Amino acid sequence: MPYRAPVEDFAFLFDHVVGLDAVRQTDRFEDASEDVTRAILEEAGKMTNDVLAPLQRAGDQTPAKLENGVVRTSPGFADGFKAVAEGGWIGMSADPEFGGMGLPMTLTTAVNEMMSGACLSLQLAPLMSQGQIEALEHHASDAIKELYLPKLISGEWTGTMNLTEPQAGSDVGALATKAEDNGDGTYAISGQKVYITWGDNDFDGNICHLVLARLPGAPAGTKGISLFLVPKYLPNDDGSLGNANSLKVVSLEHKLGIHGSPTCVMQYDKATGWLVGPEQGGMAAMFTMMNNARLGVGGQGIGIAEAAYQHALAYALDRKQGKTSRPDGTGTIVDHADVRRMLMTMKAETFAARAIALCCAKAIDMTNATGQAEWKARAAFLTPIAKAFGTDTGMAVAEMGVQVHGGMGFIEETGAAQYSRDVRVTAIYEGTNGIQAMDLVARKMMDGGEAANRLLDEIEADAEAARDVFPNMTDALWQASETLREATDWLTEQSNMDTRFAGAVPYLRAFARVLGAHMHLKAALADKGGPREKLARFYILRLLPEHVGLLAHAQAGEADLFALSADELAA
Amino acid sequence: MPYRAPVEDFAFLFDHVVGLDAVRQTDRFEDASEDVTRAILEEAGKMTNDVLAPLQRAGDQTPAKLENGVVRTSPGFADGFKAVAEGGWIGMSADPEFGGMGLPMTLTTAVNEMMSGACLSLQLAPLMSQGQIEALEHHASDAIKELYLPKLISGEWTGTMNLTEPQAGSDVGALATKAEDNGDGTYAISGQKVYITWGDNDFDGNICHLVLARLPGAPAGTKGISLFLVPKYLPNDDGSLGNANSLKVVSLEHKLGIHGSPTCVMQYDKATGWLVGPEQGGMAAMFTMMNNARLGVGGQGIGIAEAAYQHALAYALDRKQGKTSRPDGTGTIVDHADVRRMLMTMKAETFAARAIALCCAKAIDMTNATGQAEWKARAAFLTPIAKAFGTDTGMAVAEMGVQVHGGMGFIEETGAAQYSRDVRVTAIYEGTNGIQAMDLVARKMMDGGEAANRLLDEIEADAEAARDVFPNMTDALWQASETLREATDWLTEQSNMDTRFAGAVPYLRAFARVLGAHMHLKAALADKGGPREKLARFYILRLLPEHVGLLAHAQAGEADLFALSADELAA
């Protein structure tokens, strides 16, 4: 069964769970009516189903390769990217002044998830461009905006992010790439960057690299970093392509998954670049790009979860094996209780992760539309959760998809294993999930837990209001929320950051569990007696109890983590 | 850092946790003194470290391939197998009458784990032979024993298991391979078998296939199945090789991992075979092979967990990135609390899974030495737990190993990803982990929970006895054991098998959690104030609480699993 975009699920979530109406009621997004969002979901779904999904296996089987210094992309990828570009899907949320559609991030998040589920390797190309567009919108000079934005938004050109160096991964501040002022408004960029996603391709006109580098005399660490725009071809004033810049792809990485996405080692040798934002303001600009990229990566995990679920369900509905006692059965393995447990888990988790990501996107939209600090704090708080839980869900669901297939799951031709290989990187890039969790319990709790507690207040109010309708579910949710509140209070009281960090990952997961239960409760209220109530019941009564163990872990402190010496760890 | 066999850990477990002394005190195993077991562990460790470990990457990078109908094995594998054979490691527990060493399965389980951690693909070859040796010892005629056992034990020949057919995977009873009586004491076997591990190789004299097939007029299902020994070459009476049998390797599977292990599609075309055990007694004979293979596969998961842990620890001790506040730090990522959380989890889980597997092996030894029903019941109860928890731990630890590596984990050259690819199949073959859990809550609870409760009695007695020494840990363990006992009682009261199956996987995992805590407590008691107490503290206070959520899930019944129709699942 090929991938089918979950259009109905998105429409339901917009209307009944996420509350997109609040976004539609703002001046900025008044055009995003229900009809419009519906039409866009359907149009995007057609494109992902018909154009992108058929490329997914091809990307795996015929990886991108480097030939004479040029990347040759997987078969069909050039046409696939063209379809994405022509549909306007790159610039959905971009500024209309430069050709964007100015639509809410909530909608972009939905469409990005669909593209990821259909073909993750290819989707990374527009995702990188989207991040660059946003960074340039916020930080670039008018001249750069006018020259670059229309071409990035139309897909004539593409964008990349160049942060990592061999010695500077999670610790970006350790980077060594140099920038020197040429005295003519340009800079000479020199150094090597690694893990550059879509660092080159053979299907568009120019590849625009946003490169972090250090000016002479800049302070050490992240404070001394500046951001430069370094195009593959130096554009003429009219936007036509001029000379090749002094940069090259040195090699491609041989990776566990996303073989269709070329991951490049880039070499800059006094390449010409333009400053974006102020000198030594590179990290602020990069964070603009990274925050949305984090939400986008969360969506990649969810897209793969959806695709892996569909793929496993189709197998379970088809595969005859063993006998069951189900009188209403289909005669296939879907009638086995344990296969059902896996499928229901996959479906319920995917829904929860998707709803959380869309709530995060809505908070971004409300921030952009209203400027309210509360929405900004909520977006900031939900971003690491959306990223880590979305990608952890992608990994877990893809693994279960392999398991549903039994022995066939281990055979590459089946395709189940590809999902688990492809999705693996999403828990690593754009800040590992451990770093997301550390961000949550440190930076995102500098408000003393205010953003967290405001979410918990809403959850408990909703639970109270629905008590008569669903007594069991609301009671379980309310109790879980209170337990989470206690853990939140405990964490915010810890001044030793290692104490917080020691519980960061289980705390983030527990928070996602409770948020997911809240999302399922809302869905159940909009579908009483229907399948969404049944799915909610499964999630809240079977999966939510996981929070107990997680929160015990989250509050256990750091002492025992450091109790063993390096020698004892190795013994 | 190359793999180093955890010899000290095994010796400690034998003496202080598993209680190998009880085995040593039996007549059958009186030769397995502490000196002997120690010497064997060290000898095996040398072999795995020096000979097998260097082959692990080669097997991945140069997979076995089929050339003109013959399997060409990965570079160095022939010498590796020779070293295993010459060390006597295949027949460690085999009957001394035919050249075996007659040693306890506990020791074989330790050595098998070491071989798996060093090179899983290659280790599958001796593991298959071990299963065949045991099946022949129990079920074959004297003539077959005398001809085949010495050669299988010495490694001159190898053995395989042929169960699965395309339409008969988990449902072995659906198999269609035919056997016809030739009237001369032999049978003609015809049919296709899939997923045949090490179905062929280019380094030993003969490959002996144990094949399940159906005689004319045999009843449907598992009752009508007989077991046949079908060698690649028909042996002459003196054991020399005669004519080639009428069987062939049709193709090799293209798999996610264990590329060095040829997974064959086998075609039998009136191949000559000999009956093993009575007609239509095939399943009983096959179960002999499968039970030990299940424990062996559990050990494979643990071996990969050990190897992945060592690999990740070496990286964490070497990789400089970011700053921490640890005053006693090494300056590498091992000083980060979240990296520590991962490493401690990996180490504590690996220890727990290893101890459980060895307890299962000890129960097998005690059964073989004493014939006592209680030991037999314990071995039967622990086998599915050892298999499923060992392999789930292998997967989880390998995934964490990738995560510790950050971006490097996704690059194949690093080697971290190979562990996660290789280990994936262990949760699938020899009965998926879901099937292990179903076995636990159905067949293994036909005693009304007696075997389970006897284990819980022991756990609680040990917790009581240690109350004054470790009040927190023993209290947590005792409470967990009682919660597990309630769940056990609830499950055994359910006459609807789907109700049990619906909670089978979380129940098995919760049982493993509690058993693991018991093992850690014993280790702590033998190492008060030392690193094993510290590791126990981590496990019991941070990981054990997971049982709460699991047991809620285990007792939630089957209704909500089947609440959605097939259409609703697909919506």
Side-chain angles (χ1 to χ4, degrees), chain A residues 169 309 321 399 424 560 569, chain B residues 169 309 321 399 424 542 569:
Chain A
Y309 169 71
Q321 193 75 177
E399 283 301 342
R424 187 64 188 85
D560 62 355
L569 281 170
Chain B
Y309 169 71
Q321 194 76 177
E399 283 301 342
R424 187 65 188 85
R542 298 180 98 105
L569 280 171

Side-chain angles (χ1 to χ4, degrees), chain A residues 83-95:
Chain A
V84 173
E86 287 177 355
W89 307 115
I90 300 169
M92 280 181 68
S93 289
D95 191 338

Side-chain angles (χ1 to χ4, degrees), chain A residues 422-437:
Chain A
D422 282 354
V423 77
R424 187 64 188 85
V425 73
T426 64
I428 296 171
Y429 60 24
E430 291 306 319
T432 66
N433 286 3
I435 285 174
Q436 303 300 322

